[in-house]
Each structure stands twice: as structure tokens, then as C-alpha cells.
Amino acid sequence: MKEDVDFMEVIRYYVHRVIGLDVPLADSPRPAFAYEPEREMHLPMTHWSLSEFLGEVFVKKAPEELVFSILLGLAYHEAGHALSGEDNNTKPHVLNNIICDANDISFVPKRFPGSIPFTLTLFDVSLKSCEDIAKLELSSKKEQLIALLNIAVMYMRHLKFPFDNKLVRNLPDDHQLKNRFDKLVPILRQARKAKITERPELVREFYEIIKDLWDDNIEPQIYTLILKPLSGGDAGKMTQAAAAKGVLKSAGRELKRIKKAIEENPHWHEPKGDEVIAVTEMSA
């Protein structure tokens, strides 16, 4: 990856034309959809922000197609927040993101399925403690909470999670988190198929089960765990997985198509009548 990498115009084009949102895009190392003071989509779109979010070594090692596809996955994810009609002040936000990540697949158009595998891979790789649930420390409320969130993420991805060197669907009967996890399972399964407008209620149900473990100050710590910079080794593993699925070719074709469209029509961003629907109308 060259140090002058800049996806700013490419992502603006994609969000505007494909996702259909007429909102300002901000270059930021922390992806988010902001409602205050005005609605904006924050995405890492330049070498600086991508390096802050994914890690300098990762950005240098990963193919352009891989970084582009991760970025599209993030764009779809944030668009899901914008279009879901969810409570703007949904808390805790990290649960909202977990639920959003689960059902983004119902939002992404079939014309570019490659963004979803990369969003999931990014989340799985960056949650370093999501290796073997049996080996996680559970001596504090914080450790129990993080373990539950890890199980939730893995379960929604695959309906299985790693425990004691094998993939399982349930925790052992004598496990400390067994009862909580059993209560979470119906919510996690519903999240996989729910309409995006149902997300706020699922977040509330999720929170009710874990609220006695939750510390108001813990959310920034959890984000820090989730957003650990990735390594060159991670770039290699993700690239191999992407190549095996054939998604790199899909990302390459899409990136080439967009670059060509921008070159042929430098005024693509100018609205034409009712072509673009404002996000305020779409999320009403």
C-alpha cells in the first residue's frame, strides 16, 4: 500500500451513488455516524486515518483491494445506523454496534457482497481476546463483561465460538457465564435476522441482561480493545482468506469501476433533481 493512498473521492462516490445518502463525509480514524451538531458519516479514508484505525504496518502490507473492501464494510455499517431509525442516544453504543454488525447483511445489496466478509473478518481479527473462551480471565466484572461481548460477537458470526480448543454452541453447565449466555442467545439469534428498525429494542434487551456488569466508564476501554491496530501478519491472513473466497477480485473490479466513473464524470457529485434522497427523509 502506497503512503499516498486516499480513498476520499472513491468512498464519497460510493456512499452517494450506491448507499444513497446525501450527507457530509468526514475523514476520521474512528468510524461513526454522528447526529450532533449535524449528521455526518465519519470514515477512515486517507493514509493517515487508515493507519490510525488499522495500524501503519497493516496499511502498508495489505493490498489496496482489501483496504477498500474493509472501508466499504464500514460505510455500509454506518449507513445502517443512519437508516435504521434507531434512538440517536442509544446506550451503551458498543452494544448497538454489535447488533448493527450482525444484521448489516440484510442491508448490503447483493451487487457487492464482498464488504460483509471483510467487516466480519476485521471485527474477529481485532478482538484479540476472542480466541478461546475457556482461557479468558473472569475474576472481575470487567473481564466477565468483555468475555460475554466476545461470545456474543462470535456467536452472531457463526452460531459457534471457540471453547477449550473446539467450536461449540453452548457453554458448559458449570461455566460462570452460562446463565447469562443462555438468556442472550434468543436476542443474538433475533439480531441475525431482525429488520434494522428493530435494533433499538434488541439493544435494550441485551443491556438488561448485562447491566449489573456494566460500568459507565468501561465503554471507552472496550472500544480500545476492539480498535487495536492490526499487524502485517493480520494483513497476510486476511488477504489469504479474501483470496480464497474470491472477494479480492470482486473488490478489485468494483474499485476499478468507481475510479473510471469518477474520471469520466468529474461532476458526479452534483444532484440531479430527486435522484438523491436526503438522509433525513430516509431515516424518518
Side-chain angles (χ1 to χ4, degrees):
M1 177 66 67
K2 297 180 181 180
E3 291 202 1
D4 61 352
V5 62
D6 189 337
F7 286 121
M8 187 80 78
E9 196 75 356
V10 170
I11 296 303
R12 280 201 179 110
Y13 181 93
Y14 204 89
V15 170
H16 185 88
R17 293 292 190 185
V18 179
I19 298 178
L21 299 186
D22 188 18
V23 297
L25 292 187
D27 182 42
S28 168
R30 183 159 179 170
F33 192 87
Y35 292 89
E36 299 293 344
E38 64 178 1
R39 295 184 174 188
E40 286 186 338
M41 189 181 292
H42 294 229
L43 294 168
M45 295 180 284
T46 63
H47 181 269
W48 165 77
S49 54
L50 284 165
S51 295
E52 288 286 314
F53 179 67
L54 296 173
E56 180 77 23
V57 176
F58 182 92
V59 174
K60 286 183 177 179
K61 294 281 186 179
E64 185 180 46
E65 294 85 356
L66 175 61
V67 179
F68 169 66
S69 196
I70 289 174
L71 190 46
L72 285 196
L74 294 171
Y76 278 122
H77 175 95
E78 298 309 332
H81 283 301
L83 299 175
S84 66
E86 65 193 20
D87 182 350
N88 297 356
N89 297 312
T90 302
K91 292 189 177 182
H93 294 297
V94 69
L95 299 186
N96 199 25
N97 275 330
I98 290 174
I99 297 295
C100 181
D101 237 21
N103 60 26
D104 274 347
I105 198 163
S106 66
F107 171 72
V108 177
K110 292 181 179 179
R111 68 183 303 278
F112 193 71
S115 63
I116 285 301
F118 284 120
T119 303
L120 306 190
T121 304
L122 172 64
F123 212 101
D124 287 346
V125 170
S126 57
L127 276 169
K128 299 299 185 182
S129 55
C130 228
E131 296 172 354
D132 190 325
I133 305 301
K135 298 176 183 177
L136 297 182
E137 292 291 332
L138 301 172
S139 57
S140 70
K141 285 187 175 182
K142 176 183 175 181
E143 290 167 346
Q144 292 174 38
L145 175 60
I146 292 173
L148 270 173
L149 296 181
N150 287 344
I151 298 172
V153 170
M154 294 295 285
Y155 188 81
M156 287 195 296
R157 295 287 179 273
H158 316 291
L159 291 178
K160 291 183 179 181
F161 51 88
F163 189 91
D164 199 17
N165 298 317
K166 57 186 177 182
L167 290 176
V168 299
R169 293 179 183 272
N170 298 290
L171 288 171
D173 291 339
D174 60 350
H175 193 274
Q176 193 171 348
L177 301 177
K178 168 69 173 176
N179 290 338
R180 290 182 191 271
F181 177 69
D182 286 350
K183 292 178 182 177
L184 285 177
V185 166
I187 298 171
L188 304 178
R189 289 192 173 180
Q190 180 65 16
R192 288 168 57 92
K193 60 183 179 181
K195 296 178 181 178
I196 52 179
T197 52
E198 298 170 356
R199 184 182 306 150
E201 183 57 34
L202 292 173
V203 172
R204 283 189 285 270
E205 292 177 10
F206 197 147
Y207 181 65
E208 283 300 311
I209 295 173
I210 65 169
K211 65 181 181 182
D212 62 310
L213 297 178
W214 197 273
D215 180 335
D216 289 339
N217 298 318
I218 201 172
E219 189 154 319
Q221 300 176 48
I222 292 175
Y223 270 116
T224 300
L225 288 171
I226 292 174
L227 301 182
K228 285 182 179 178
L230 303 179
S231 68
D234 291 326
K237 291 177 184 176
M238 293 175 72
T239 301
Q240 290 176 4
K245 294 177 182 176
V247 186
L248 276 185
K249 290 183 179 180
S250 176
R253 287 194 298 267
E254 189 74 357
L255 183 57
K256 185 177 180 180
R257 181 191 70 79
I258 296 172
K259 286 182 176 180
K260 183 178 179 181
I262 293 173
E263 289 173 0
E264 293 179 350
N265 181 16
H267 303 293
W268 62 266
H269 56 283
E270 297 177 2
K272 297 178 181 179
D274 298 327
E275 185 180 75
V276 179
I277 302 174
V279 66
T280 49
E281 298 174 21
M282 297 186 75
S283 60

